[in-house]
Amino acid sequence: MFFKSKYIIEFSKPKAEILDDIDKNLYKKFFDWNKRFAGKVSDNSFDVKFFQDKMSPYFKGRFVGKENKPESIELTVYSDVFSIFGSIFEIVIFLGFAIAFFLQEYYLWTTAMVIIYILIVLSHRVRINNAKDNFFEYLKKLDTFSKIVAVKK
């Protein structure tokens, strides 16, 4: 697990109802095209990612029991190793082209390559933030009284 961020989500609904709804939205068969997630759901946890977005971060949730509190999920959002290797591969390719253009004194092309690289990195960050927002929006639709709190490291 790389690039992790953690959240605590408190629900007013029981965990069985939450996990059942996530399970209903899992892609399980070949013709489940209208499903939102790929992954697995167990009795006390889930590990899913968005089905349509292959570079989507993973959302790993585990119910934690607390006294006098509603159902709580400890949610971890992380990227897998292949996403990280893909990003590193992009960095190496773009830096290789930028260095080649710089050595041939094509400074305008070098500047353009650096700008394109910065835009790609920013688009990855925006994509991850959008995936988090979409997942939190999905959880809010499950339970409108849920609370999402980021855990500081």
Side-chain angles (χ1 to χ4, degrees):
M1 286 191 259
F2 295 101
F3 299 116
K4 295 191 302 186
S5 56
K6 292 191 174 208
Y7 301 89
I8 297 290
I9 304 168
E10 294 181 354
F11 290 102
S12 62
K13 293 183 178 182
K15 75 176 179 180
E17 190 175 330
I18 305 283
L19 290 173
D20 187 47
D21 194 276
I22 293 172
D23 191 44
K24 285 180 184 174
N25 280 304
L26 279 181
Y27 175 82
K28 294 179 184 173
K29 297 181 287 187
F30 182 71
F31 292 107
D32 285 344
W33 298 113
N34 59 346
K35 303 297 183 174
R36 295 179 75 140
F37 305 116
K40 60 184 177 180
V41 175
S42 67
D43 292 339
N44 204 35
S45 64
F46 60 88
D47 193 2
V48 297
K49 68 182 261 178
F50 283 105
F51 172 65
Q52 300 297 329
D53 186 6
K54 298 300 179 197
M55 297 292 284
S56 168
Y58 284 87
F59 301 94
K60 185 174 188 171
R62 184 174 57 90
F63 278 90
V64 290
K66 295 184 178 180
E67 295 178 16
N68 300 329
K69 292 215 174 179
E71 298 285 355
S72 297
I73 291 180
E74 189 177 90
L75 181 72
T76 305
V77 181
Y78 65 95
S79 294
D80 64 339
V81 175
F82 295 115
S83 294
I84 304 304
F85 284 147
S87 297
I88 290 172
F89 183 70
E90 285 178 358
I91 290 169
V92 169
I93 295 295
F94 269 96
L95 287 178
F97 278 117
I99 290 170
F101 285 136
F102 183 77
L103 291 177
Q104 294 179 3
E105 297 181 358
Y106 293 130
Y107 300 117
L108 183 62
W109 283 105
T110 304
T111 305
M113 292 297 289
V114 169
I115 290 171
I116 289 171
Y117 170 71
I118 290 170
L119 291 174
I120 288 173
V121 169
L122 289 175
S123 72
H124 284 302
R125 184 68 186 160
V126 166
R127 182 182 42 78
I128 288 171
N129 285 340
N130 284 342
K132 277 193 225 182
D133 291 342
N134 289 341
F135 190 73
F136 291 150
E137 183 180 311
Y138 170 76
L139 292 177
K140 280 286 197 188
K141 284 181 182 177
L142 285 179
D143 185 5
T144 56
F145 299 112
S146 63
K147 297 177 194 171
I148 301 171
V149 178
V151 176
K152 305 289 183 195
K153 291 183 181 180

